[in-house]
Amino acid sequence: MNPALPALGLELAPFRQRWPWIGPDLQTLRDTLSPPRLPADQGEPLALAVGEGCSLLALCDPPRLAEPRALVVLLHGLGGSSEREGLRRMGLSLQDAGMAVWRLNLRGAGPGRSLAPGTYAARCDSDLLPVLRRAREQAGGLPLLGVGISLGGTMLLNAVLAEAGVLDGLVCTSSPLDLAACSRQIERPRNRIYQRWLLRRLRAQTLADPFGVSAAERWALQGPDRPRTIRAFDAAITAPRWGYGSVEHYYRQASPLPRLLAAPGADERSHPALPPTLLLHALDDPWVPASGAQALAAHPPSGVEVLLTGQGGHNGFHGVGDAPLSCWGDQVTVQWLERLLAGGLGR
């Protein structure tokens, strides 16, 4: 696990939990229980057309010093937005490393809620690919990189598997690779509070749609049989909205793990749709099982590197020696991307 750090070209000490954020749950909840004191958000809003009169909103952050070395599209997870503390902190670390950042709000999320009806899904290529093509144009020859937190990483993986060349490098942190397995994990009794919290956010996000929701959807969300699990929410809302016949169909088609395992191995030619990719995952993640990342670590497709830690929770990685506005996971992401850039990555 941690001995892989030198092999990845990263000059970091192995991850060690930082007091008092000990254990998977406190690692996961650190930013909620003790939000970092971030500077005022100065991101410039940019509406990105995705078709049918709809747009997604990105908050654009320039690098802190000099000209940008790359453009990074940064995606939030389930129930998140460009405003979430962990996402903003990751963006600041990337800016400090000389990269321009687009903090993208997915369909229905955060300050972009008014620009498009509906909500996002784990596989939303029809929304994400137009954004990545526009980002490629905006990059102007600079490398275009992706960073996805939790479900944001799943979406980016699905996008690069759908269309070759949309990204030059990708980092996914605590990302679900098998949605059915993730659904079973979040339904464990120990995760009851997490699931209720996520469902409240998802219901509120859906019902706040300024374009309106159908009577059937409103009844499904507010009636006596309203969803009590993420799986039930996906069955009632996400799967039908995105054209899937059932939640099982949605989970199969939106899970990148089978396609990643079918990609050529490290000793063969690179899979044409996969840029250099890092998957960071903690074995004690309470939300997303590490089994998918472990399977890829055992049989990695060409260009895919997997970094597993024994601890760290779900997108936690708050470690000993962290800077005030950075965590160990942020630094893994920055150093790995810097390694790509130092290797002459680009078009």
Side-chain angles (χ1 to χ4, degrees):
M1 291 181 292
N2 280 322
L5 286 169
L8 293 176
L10 307 182
E11 298 178 357
L12 286 171
F15 176 71
R16 290 189 296 137
Q17 300 177 101
R18 175 164 60 91
W19 181 264
W21 314 110
I22 304 300
D25 297 303
L26 288 178
Q27 281 283 318
T28 300
L29 295 171
R30 188 268 181 188
D31 287 339
T32 300
L33 298 175
S34 180
R37 296 182 178 180
L38 300 171
D41 192 336
Q42 297 182 352
E44 290 291 329
L46 175 64
L48 301 158
V50 295
E52 299 183 355
C54 300
S55 297
L56 303 185
L57 182 70
L59 276 295
C60 304
D61 302 306
R64 293 294 185 91
L65 300 172
E67 294 298 312
R69 305 167 61 193
L71 174 59
V72 181
V73 178
L74 178 57
L75 261 65
H76 61 80
L78 190 66
S81 74
S82 63
E83 300 170 330
R84 293 293 294 170
E85 293 88 351
L87 186 106
R88 285 201 58 213
R89 189 186 57 232
M90 174 73 82
L92 290 169
S93 295
L94 292 164
Q95 288 177 264
D96 285 342
M99 303 178 208
V101 178
W102 283 9
R103 288 177 284 128
L104 182 66
N105 290 279
L106 294 157
R107 180 178 292 259
R113 170 73 276 190
S114 65
L115 299 182
T119 45
Y120 53 86
R123 186 172 183 178
C124 52
D125 298 342
S126 58
D127 275 357
L128 196 48
L129 289 174
V131 168
L132 296 179
R133 295 179 195 125
R134 174 70 181 280
R136 175 69 74 188
E137 296 174 0
Q138 189 73 21
L142 292 173
L144 178 63
L145 308 171
V147 173
I149 294 174
S150 191
L151 197 67
T154 310
M155 297 174 197
L156 286 169
L157 280 169
N158 280 322
V160 299
L161 287 165
E163 184 172 310
V166 293
L167 289 173
D168 298 317
L170 172 60
V171 178
C172 303
T173 300
S174 304
S175 295
L177 303 176
D178 180 335
L179 295 183
C182 189
S183 174
R184 291 191 295 270
Q185 176 101 340
I186 203 68
E187 289 178 19
R188 293 173 60 197
R190 74 170 310 282
N191 289 329
R192 187 178 295 114
I193 294 175
Y194 290 138
Q195 182 157 241
R196 288 177 181 170
W197 179 80
L198 286 168
L199 279 170
R200 282 198 299 270
R201 295 180 68 88
L202 291 172
R203 281 197 294 263
Q205 188 180 69
T206 304
L207 292 169
D209 194 333
F211 297 83
V213 296
S214 70
E217 288 177 332
R218 187 172 296 277
W219 176 254
L221 291 175
Q222 297 182 316
D225 296 325
R226 61 186 179 275
R228 299 311 202 274
T229 64
I230 300 297
R231 183 185 181 89
F233 178 90
D234 286 337
I237 302 296
T238 312
R241 279 187 166 184
W242 286 86
Y244 296 101
S246 66
V247 68
E248 292 81 11
H249 183 213
Y250 166 50
Y251 283 174
R252 284 196 305 273
Q253 294 299 312
S255 295
L257 182 61
R259 284 171 291 156
L260 289 169
L261 288 173
D267 58 342
E268 303 178 37
R269 295 181 62 187
S270 295
H271 191 285
L274 284 175
T277 299
L278 174 67
L279 305 178
L280 171 62
H281 210 107
L283 297 179
D284 69 351
D285 188 324
W287 292 16
V288 179
S291 54
Q294 290 175 299
L296 288 173
H299 303 284
S302 182
V304 175
E305 298 178 291
V306 182
L307 178 56
L308 297 168
T309 62
Q311 299 166 322
H314 182 73
N315 190 40
F317 304 106
H318 303 288
V320 173
D322 285 350
L325 293 182
S326 185
C327 73
W328 189 87
D330 299 338
Q331 292 309 305
V332 166
T333 298
V334 167
Q335 287 198 20
W336 191 85
L337 292 176
E338 287 184 319
R339 189 200 74 182
L340 288 187
L341 297 174
L345 179 70
R347 294 166 68 86

